[in-house]
Amino acid sequence: MLTIAVTGATGAQGGATARAALAAGHRVRALTRRPDSPAAGALRELGAEVRHADFDDHTSLDAALTGADALFAVTTPFGTDTDTEIRQGRALVDAAAGARLGHVVLTSAAHADRGTGIPHYESKWVIEGHLRASGLPWTVIAPAAFMDNYAGGWTLDGLRTGTFAWPMPSDVPLTLIPAADIGAFAALVLQRRDDFAGHRLDIASDTLTPAQIASALGTAAGRPITHEEVPHAHVRSHSEDLAAMFAYFTGKGLDVDVAGLRRAYPEAGWHTFAEWAAGQDWDALLDG
């Protein structure tokens, strides 16, 4: 049994990792800036120890990591910026080094090691470098595009009108993964440190084109949904970062060896997109 500190524990990836680690019988220390939030309360009910931690408060990080065996680390620029993400990521790695943790599993982004030019991929690559130089036993897992994004935000707005509005041509494949699979794989990596330490792995659960995604969403929701390609210029008017990401997805492509991962790590319980979509409450999402 390990004591695993989990950052971003009230978010998608951290929450999924915390739940998977608890299900595997480990002690989970859920780190959050808002220990009184409903999401933190839900983890507490599952058996997690909830601790306050703020990436910009070194004292809180040091206290939260003291006595832990391992760390699941997630950083994000969304809500701040990439400079802030890098600063906070470095602070987290430094705190982990100070606590002499036995393993740090950092979640990054698939292809972040390939010079994509996507700002929020490049910031993660900088943090990866800081982790590799820290002297800590490390593993980087690098998820592909998140399936969970298709059940919220501007994508959900389009689905309510029967349109899967997505900034890619209908026939260009994209690799995808749900947060639940990221958490399950992270828990596996944490359990098997000796097998994974020093490795960087791009991970994904399925590969579909936007046309296939629209079809699967329509089947799961029980209503017609068709793909409509959103111009990159429209995305750029809202975010240069996301526009760069979709340009990369369309041009270079976000390929990940899905079949190889399924063969090598079946215990991760990989979900197809259709399986993920079938698990969503589309009536509540689309009619709410």
Side-chain angles (χ1 to χ4, degrees):
M1 181 186 292
L2 300 170
T3 297
I4 300 170
V6 178
T7 62
T10 56
Q13 295 188 71
T17 300
R19 290 188 291 273
L22 286 166
H26 299 294
R27 291 181 292 265
V28 169
R29 190 177 292 175
L31 310 188
T32 175
R33 289 178 300 166
R34 294 179 290 274
D36 296 328
S37 69
L43 288 174
R44 195 178 284 111
E45 289 181 4
L46 290 174
E49 176 192 5
V50 177
R51 292 275 195 99
H52 172 263
D54 188 322
F55 289 166
D56 289 320
D57 179 353
H58 293 184
T59 300
S60 73
L61 277 183
D62 292 342
L65 295 181
T66 297
D69 298 305
L71 168 69
F72 175 78
V74 59
T75 64
T76 179
F78 299 113
T80 54
D81 52 53
T82 54
D83 288 341
T84 299
E85 180 184 21
I86 290 170
R87 185 187 73 247
Q88 292 179 340
R90 285 172 169 163
L92 180 58
V93 169
D94 291 345
R100 300 181 183 275
L101 297 189
H103 193 196
V104 174
V105 176
L106 172 69
T107 179
S108 180
H111 289 210
D113 57 340
R114 303 191 191 186
T116 64
I118 304 166
H120 74 278
Y121 283 37
E122 298 299 325
S123 56
K124 287 175 172 54
W125 180 238
V126 172
I127 297 167
E128 288 187 42
H130 194 68
L131 176 59
R132 288 193 303 274
S134 70
L136 290 162
W138 61 269
T139 305
V140 173
I141 62 173
F146 295 168
M147 294 182 189
D148 308 76
N149 288 342
Y150 299 123
W154 51 271
T155 304
L156 186 60
D157 292 339
L159 296 180
R160 290 184 174 127
T161 67
T163 301
F164 173 53
W166 199 246
M168 291 177 61
S170 63
D171 60 348
V172 174
L174 179 66
T175 50
L176 304 159
I177 189 168
D181 289 6
I182 299 171
F185 191 73
L188 176 66
V189 170
L190 288 158
Q191 177 76 36
R192 293 167 48 185
R193 181 189 71 173
D194 291 346
D195 293 335
F196 289 99
H199 294 279
R200 185 188 193 281
L201 301 97
D202 286 351
I203 58 172
S205 307
D206 204 353
T207 304
L208 289 88
T209 66
Q212 291 170 330
I213 292 170
S215 176
L217 290 171
T219 298
R223 61 189 74 186
I225 294 175
T226 57
H227 170 247
E228 178 181 303
E229 184 175 358
V230 177
H232 285 181
H234 178 74
V235 180
R236 190 171 295 108
S237 68
H238 294 278
S239 170
E240 291 282 352
D241 193 333
L242 293 181
M245 182 182 74
F246 285 114
Y248 184 86
F249 287 175
T250 300
K252 297 278 189 179
L254 194 65
D255 65 291
V256 179
D257 185 6
V258 173
L261 287 164
R262 286 178 174 274
R263 285 193 303 269
Y265 311 110
E267 59 270 57
W270 310 101
H271 292 80
T272 65
F273 185 80
E275 289 168 341
W276 170 84
Q280 310 308 306
D281 186 351
W282 292 107
D283 286 340
L285 288 168
L286 297 176
D287 298 330

